[in-house]
Amino acid sequence: MRKWNFCAGPAVISEDVLLEVQSETLEYNDIGSSVMEISHRSKIYKNLANEAKEDLKEILSIPENFEILFLQGGATFQFTMIPMNFKHLTGTADYVTTGTWTKKALNEGSKIMNINNIYSSEDDNFTYAPDLEKLSYSKNASYVHYCPNETIQGNAIHKIPKIDKPLIADMSSVILSAPFDVSNFALIYAGAQKNIGPAGLTIVIIDKDFMKNGNPNLPNLLRYSEHSKSDSMLNTPPTFSWYVAGKVFKWIKKCGGLDYFKEQNNLKASKLYDFIDKSDFYSNPVKIENRSIMNIPFILSDSLLESAFLAESEQNGLLNLKGHRSVGGMRASIYNAMPLEGVLELIKFLDYFEKKYG
Ligand SMILES: *Cc1c(COP(=O)(O)O)cnc(C)c1O
């Protein structure tokens, strides 16, 4: 039996999507085999791949001057691929460090080029974040990198900034949670396994003019423009993940698009934060204006109760509430595919557990 799954990633996928995939597992569209068993160069696969791209374009209102790439290597590989492509412009870039992932991006990027860590909230365990429009950037920075939703700390920058430098965002855990203006960015990337679909796929949305500036001397697999020229099929793409992501995009459209999910996600998060804030037993350390809508960490007033909490929550059908090993405590990831009902069940359990042990 399926239970409420609060895993940070790979994360819950809508049951509608999974059932559809199940119904096509043996045979897709009368072709005599599944999607997993056909060539990525076949007409049938190319059609579904392109449809996924077009649906994503529609959902996010991605302007014509942006390319959408379906790559591999995860968000983590982008920590390397971005500096490799754009180092040669000025040799330097500015990074905003608000959690584990941006710190990793900074460390990986620093192996390749000069990176200025222009802002860090590490002094307070990444529990707050800046307004990017108020930061000052290095004159010669080729680009500015930040993460609007730090998945581990639940530390978010909600305002999509307008700055006069090419802006790059790691949107792995927040993409598709609400509409936003893609044109503010030079490059957006996201690993699929949070809000898009199965692991193995990485979405990159890149301004075509910015893409043209990429270092032409890199091997093809490292070049955005080469991936673009080949419709993300320089080599065999992760065909199954791409196919399921396409189904997720159709499901998003059917539900009412990103306006619908924005409303639902805000509702889910506010119900959970309200409960946590009213309780003396649970708490969330993140500054209110920076609280994530997608990943909600919380700690118990008595950390000795953590193992009982995890065991009992699981018995009550609530899975994967353990916080990331680096920060401890608990974390509820409530992506698009987690319905309000699941969050209400979680709140019911939090209440029960507090009354029993608090
Ligand atoms: C999960 C995550 C990553 C790492 O993704 P991989 O696909 O495992 O490389 C990077 N950044 C953020 C914000 C994430 O949530």
Side-chain angles (χ1 to χ4, degrees):
M1 195 188 88
R2 284 176 65 76
K3 298 179 177 171
W4 301 114
N5 179 7
F6 295 92
C7 191
V12 58
I13 294 176
S14 148
E15 208 165 291
D16 292 359
V17 169
L18 294 176
L19 284 169
E20 227 181 271
V21 171
Q22 183 186 44
S23 77
E24 293 172 353
T25 296
L26 291 179
E27 186 179 17
Y28 175 76
N29 275 6
D30 296 323
I31 62 168
S33 78
S34 75
V35 165
M36 285 173 276
E37 304 160 292
I38 60 173
S39 167
H40 56 293
R41 311 273 178 210
S42 63
K43 195 159 165 247
I44 194 128
Y45 192 83
K46 278 190 171 167
N47 281 344
L48 86 80
N50 193 53
E51 214 168 295
K53 182 174 166 177
E54 290 303 316
D55 283 335
L56 180 60
K57 189 169 168 184
E58 184 186 326
I59 293 167
L60 277 173
S61 306
I62 300 172
E64 283 304 322
N65 60 318
F66 281 78
E67 178 62 288
I68 305 167
L69 302 173
F70 291 74
L71 307 181
Q72 301 185 60
T76 305
F77 188 59
Q78 293 305 306
F79 299 167
T80 303
M81 192 165 163
I82 291 163
M84 287 192 87
N85 271 269
F86 302 109
K87 167 190 173 168
H88 72 124
L89 297 178
T90 65
T92 194
D94 286 352
Y95 279 47
V96 177
T97 315
T98 55
T100 304
W101 293 115
T102 40
K103 192 177 168 187
K104 279 198 174 157
L106 173 83
N107 289 338
E108 288 300 288
S110 298
K111 294 173 185 171
I112 294 161
M113 67 193 281
N114 174 52
I115 290 182
N116 308 306
N117 188 11
I118 60 158
Y119 181 98
S120 173
S121 55
E122 191 168 14
D123 61 355
D124 200 11
N125 300 317
F126 299 122
T127 50
Y128 64 97
D131 175 346
L132 265 75
E133 290 178 4
K134 297 198 172 123
L135 298 180
S136 51
Y137 299 102
S138 314
K139 234 194 228 122
N140 62 344
S142 307
Y143 62 87
V144 172
H145 178 276
Y146 87 113
C147 177
N149 188 73
E150 282 281 5
T151 320
I152 291 173
Q153 285 80 12
N155 185 19
I157 298 171
H158 294 294
K159 182 167 139 196
I160 300 288
K162 260 192 161 44
I163 60 169
D164 62 359
K165 294 275 179 201
L167 183 62
I168 295 185
D170 176 356
M171 292 211 177
S172 296
S173 52
V174 74
I175 195 165
L176 303 180
S177 65
F180 69 93
D181 189 353
V182 171
S183 66
N184 282 14
F185 295 90
L187 191 160
I188 293 159
Y189 63 96
Q193 67 275 19
K194 284 39 184 282
N195 225 2
I196 295 172
L201 177 70
T202 312
I203 303 282
V204 170
I205 302 167
I206 181 170
D207 181 314
K208 288 176 184 168
D209 286 332
F210 188 65
M211 180 168 75
K212 267 191 237 141
N213 293 335
N215 180 356
N217 299 318
L218 293 171
N220 285 352
L221 272 176
L222 294 171
R223 296 188 61 203
Y224 295 106
S225 50
E226 289 297 324
H227 285 289
S228 166
K229 263 189 238 162
S230 69
D231 289 327
S232 304
M233 293 196 190
L234 272 177
N235 65 335
T236 316
T239 54
F240 182 73
S241 298
W242 191 332
Y243 150 79
V244 180
K247 295 223 176 278
V248 172
F249 301 152
K250 293 234 183 280
W251 170 74
I252 288 174
K253 280 170 59 172
K254 196 179 71 193
C255 292
L258 298 190
D259 288 323
Y260 168 80
F261 282 104
K262 179 183 181 176
E263 196 196 310
Q264 282 295 302
N265 289 329
N266 284 335
L267 182 65
K268 287 180 313 191
S270 66
K271 287 209 182 283
L272 188 47
Y273 283 120
D274 281 351
F275 181 85
I276 290 170
D277 288 344
K278 280 195 196 117
S279 141
D280 295 324
F281 187 75
Y282 305 102
S283 62
N284 167 285
V286 179
K287 195 172 159 193
I288 296 211
E289 69 195 65
N290 297 121
R291 285 173 160 186
S292 168
I293 303 299
M294 295 276 99
N295 311 96
I296 302 184
F298 57 93
I299 49 173
L300 314 185
S301 58
D302 179 358
S303 63
L304 292 176
L305 288 169
E306 282 182 2
S307 50
F309 181 93
L310 289 168
E312 287 199 34
S313 57
E314 203 175 313
Q315 281 159 18
N316 281 271
L318 307 165
L319 306 183
N320 300 313
L321 285 165
K322 194 172 166 50
H324 191 270
R325 59 189 188 279
S326 63
V327 295
M330 306 298 154
R331 172 177 50 170
S333 294
I334 51 174
Y335 300 115
N336 286 352
M338 171 59 65
L340 177 61
E341 199 189 339
V343 174
L344 296 178
E345 284 301 314
L346 170 60
I347 292 170
K348 224 162 64 185
F349 174 77
L350 293 176
D351 190 40
Y352 150 83
F353 191 85
E354 176 175 355
K355 286 192 174 123
K356 183 169 171 188
Y357 295 99

